[in-house]
Amino acid sequence: MAADKSPFQIILGSSSMARRRILSEMGYEFTIMTADIDEKAIRKERPEELVVALAEAKADAIMSRILATGAQLDNDAPATLLLTADTVVVYEGTIREKPSNKDEARKFIKGYSGSHASVVGSVLITNLKTGTRKGGWEEAEVYFYDIPEEIIDTLIEEDVTFKVAGGLMLEHPLTWPLVEAVVGSTDTVMGLPKALTEKLMNDAL
């Protein structure tokens, strides 16, 4: 659905370049607001519960920002949908978020070499006009070829590993050729499953 035909406006509550790109690919225009939350303060045992809780916390923080600025939603204006999302990687049963240092990043990436990991991603749509909130999550499995040490070194030096869950940006030109297979949606791995996002938008209207 093209943005100029959309009966609603979209706020993307994320600074992720991948999510911006995917939402643009879906044909939408949007504004961006980011949430300043302490993600590590939110803990859940199950990855799907964690990503949903984090997406909800991001939405709550952005809604608080909107209220704090005194912004009023015009009842005659199109609906405004706030989109928040979160992604974690699960490796050998352990939840992995963004690595906190180079040693952790190296450990993460070396573990994927010749192995596989699950990516669990949530999407939450909040209708700011009605208060309706619809969320869901998806999972995909990523299988890797052997990852050479020099590739790991380069990825860590470029700092891309610290910006993504699990420390591995799949769309990076050095990383993508090392992916043997993705079982599930590639968009889920990148941070925003398209089909789920479209469904939740429709449900929230």
Side-chain angles (χ1 to χ4, degrees):
M1 184 185 294
D4 59 358
K5 297 178 183 177
S6 298
F8 52 85
Q9 298 171 336
I10 297 172
I11 299 172
L12 174 61
S14 173
S15 59
S16 162
M17 291 302 297
R19 291 191 184 111
R20 294 185 198 185
R21 178 178 53 77
I22 292 169
L23 197 55
S24 295
E25 286 174 358
M26 292 169 67
Y28 293 110
E29 292 182 358
F30 49 89
T31 56
I32 294 169
M33 288 186 74
T34 57
D36 184 18
I37 65 169
D38 180 5
E39 296 191 12
K40 295 192 181 298
I42 299 172
R43 299 293 86 188
K44 300 286 183 182
E45 287 188 13
R46 296 172 61 84
E48 58 270 26
E49 293 174 352
L50 177 60
V51 292
V52 168
L54 286 168
E56 290 174 346
K58 292 174 183 178
D60 291 343
I62 290 170
M63 290 171 69
S64 293
R65 275 185 61 194
I66 292 172
L67 289 172
T69 60
Q72 297 293 320
L73 296 175
D74 187 345
N75 288 331
D76 296 325
T80 300
L81 300 182
L82 170 62
L83 188 166
T84 51
D86 196 75
T87 305
V88 297
V89 171
V90 181
Y91 177 74
E92 294 185 345
T94 301
I95 296 173
R96 289 181 167 180
E97 297 172 85
K98 297 175 181 130
S100 54
N101 54 58
K102 290 186 177 183
D103 288 341
E104 189 173 47
R106 183 176 298 278
K107 176 186 173 184
F108 281 6
I109 301 173
K110 286 188 77 166
Y112 305 137
S113 183
S115 186
H116 62 95
S118 296
V119 178
V120 181
S122 66
V123 180
L124 182 72
I125 306 294
T126 304
N127 186 323
L128 298 181
K129 187 173 182 180
T130 66
T132 299
R133 182 173 275 190
K134 299 292 182 179
W137 60 273
E138 284 192 1
E139 184 174 4
E141 195 85 9
V142 186
Y143 291 81
F144 296 92
Y145 294 112
D146 290 339
I147 304 175
E149 286 285 346
E150 58 269 24
I151 296 292
I152 297 175
D153 291 340
T154 302
L155 290 171
I156 291 173
E157 289 306 315
E158 288 185 6
D159 282 347
V160 294
T161 56
F162 305 105
K163 300 175 183 176
V164 290
L168 203 59
M169 186 180 287
L170 290 193
E171 65 268 33
H172 192 285
L174 290 178
T175 306
W176 188 246
L178 300 172
V179 175
E180 182 177 4
V182 175
V183 180
S185 165
T186 302
D187 298 324
T188 299
V189 178
M190 301 297 186
L192 191 67
K194 290 180 180 178
L196 177 61
T197 300
E198 289 278 14
K199 178 184 182 302
L200 296 174
M201 282 182 177
N202 289 329
D203 290 348
L205 287 172

